[in-house]
Amino acid sequence: SAAAFAPAQQSTSNTALSGAFDGELGAQAPLGFFDPLGMLNDADQERFDRLRLVELKHGRVSMLAVVGYLTTASGYRFPNFPADVPAGFGAWKALGSSDDGKAILAQMMAFFAVAEIVNRDADWLDNEAEFVGDFRNGKLDFGWDKFDDATKLRKRAIELNNGRAAQMGILGLMVHEQLGVSILPGNYLPGVH
């Protein structure tokens, strides 16, 4: 019969939440809204905003991590930084083994704590965040308010995509370092002299 040669009926699977968040920033080609783990099934806007905030924060930290990783892998160090501290994961152990290194780790932790406190909406400030992840607190601007709405949306999408790429980038750098396989120019592997 001719039915044997007819195309099979294809079932479609969709990782999106039936359109609830399809119009949100970040639902971009080629994936559209991508939620393969179903974390937003039956979620409301508040849950989505919380996860978007976490995604933005992880993206911002990852962008700094990639830059820091590549900078130290290139051999650059701050003035008066201990010369025997290797790049990559080896830095943690090396810093923890000396008093100067422990002081540097304490300074890093203090900086992280202050950054975490400062970069959030404070109840005592009379300002309202323009969007999820807007931590200007009514003080920092750097020309943001001069952009039109379309430019702001485009720049936010760029930040979101760069953060996503940086998360994958730092993950790749860390995994390859632990595997002992360099992906850096010159086959440089941090921590190996």
Side-chain angles (χ1 to χ4, degrees):
S1 135
F5 298 102
Q9 189 73 328
Q10 299 287 326
S11 65
T12 60
S13 65
N14 188 356
T15 58
L17 178 63
S18 66
F21 299 109
D22 284 348
E24 292 288 342
L25 177 72
Q28 301 163 337
L31 298 177
F33 177 73
F34 187 66
D35 183 23
L37 300 178
M39 295 178 71
L40 291 171
N41 292 346
D42 303 321
D44 58 4
Q45 188 67 41
E46 183 179 344
R47 170 94 172 133
F48 177 84
D49 289 346
R50 169 73 180 125
L51 291 174
R52 174 52 48 89
L53 179 66
V54 170
E55 180 182 18
L56 282 167
K57 183 180 284 189
H58 281 83
R60 289 169 179 168
V61 169
S62 294
M63 286 187 269
L64 291 170
V66 168
V67 170
Y69 191 98
L70 296 176
T71 301
T72 57
S74 72
Y76 179 80
R77 299 291 191 274
F78 285 115
N80 301 323
F81 192 80
D84 58 341
V85 175
F89 281 111
W92 295 106
K93 184 177 179 183
L95 287 173
S97 66
S98 72
D99 288 339
D100 287 343
K102 288 176 185 173
I104 291 170
L105 289 174
Q107 291 171 8
M108 289 170 59
M109 292 303 130
F111 171 78
F112 296 154
V114 169
E116 185 68 24
I117 292 167
V118 171
N119 287 317
R120 58 179 59 250
D121 287 326
D123 294 332
W124 64 85
L125 294 175
D126 185 29
N127 73 301
E128 191 71 31
E130 188 176 334
F131 51 87
V132 174
D134 177 16
F135 295 129
R136 292 177 291 152
N137 291 334
K139 301 294 180 199
L140 298 174
D141 184 58
F142 300 115
W144 179 259
D145 290 333
K146 295 177 184 165
F147 295 132
D148 60 26
D149 288 341
T151 303
K152 288 180 181 181
L153 191 63
R154 185 175 62 81
K155 289 189 175 290
R156 289 178 52 213
I158 289 169
E159 178 192 22
L160 191 58
N161 282 331
N162 285 347
R164 290 170 175 172
Q167 289 176 67
M168 295 300 104
I170 194 63
L171 179 65
L173 288 166
M174 293 186 320
V175 167
H176 279 82
E177 180 183 336
Q178 291 302 300
L179 292 173
V181 178
S182 176
I183 57 174
L184 298 175
N187 288 327
Y188 176 75
L189 190 61
V192 177
H193 301 289

